[in-house]
Amino acid sequence: MGPGWRHLLERLHEQIRTVLPGYRLLDLKEKLGGLRVYVGWPTGSGDILRTLIAAAEAEAERTCEFCGAPGRIRTRDDRPRG
């Protein structure tokens, strides 16, 4: 995980902790240029957590993982499906 996503991840952590103190982070990774966050949650709290996580993942797709500047997912030769 690059330093450019640090602020995004810290904000997500605080948002989740507000909704669900003591949540369990199961996995956190970069995959295909995007952020993937997997959290364990008790029954009934999934909708709000999915919303928070989806927003962070979408923001990561528009943010450079290395410097934090606005960006986009790039592909080989910068072509769709490249």
Side-chain angles (χ1 to χ4, degrees):
M1 200 69 50
W5 286 351
R6 181 182 178 137
H7 71 283
L8 183 151
L9 293 170
E10 288 174 346
R11 184 175 59 242
L12 177 61
H13 168 69
E14 289 303 320
Q15 290 171 334
I16 293 175
R17 224 172 62 167
T18 299
V19 174
L20 187 62
Y23 76 97
R24 257 183 68 209
L25 180 65
L26 301 176
D27 198 9
L28 174 68
K29 61 186 172 183
E30 177 278 331
K31 184 173 182 179
L32 302 173
L35 174 66
R36 301 295 180 268
V37 180
Y38 302 95
V39 175
W41 58 71
T43 305
S45 59
D47 289 342
I48 186 69
L49 292 178
R50 278 189 208 95
T51 300
L52 294 172
I53 291 168
E57 290 176 346
E59 184 179 349
E61 289 183 4
R62 301 184 308 270
T63 306
C64 176
E65 178 185 359
F66 301 103
C67 72
R72 63 186 172 87
I73 293 179
R74 311 281 290 214
T75 59
R76 185 179 322 142
D77 299 328
D78 207 21
R79 294 178 301 189
R81 300 187 181 161

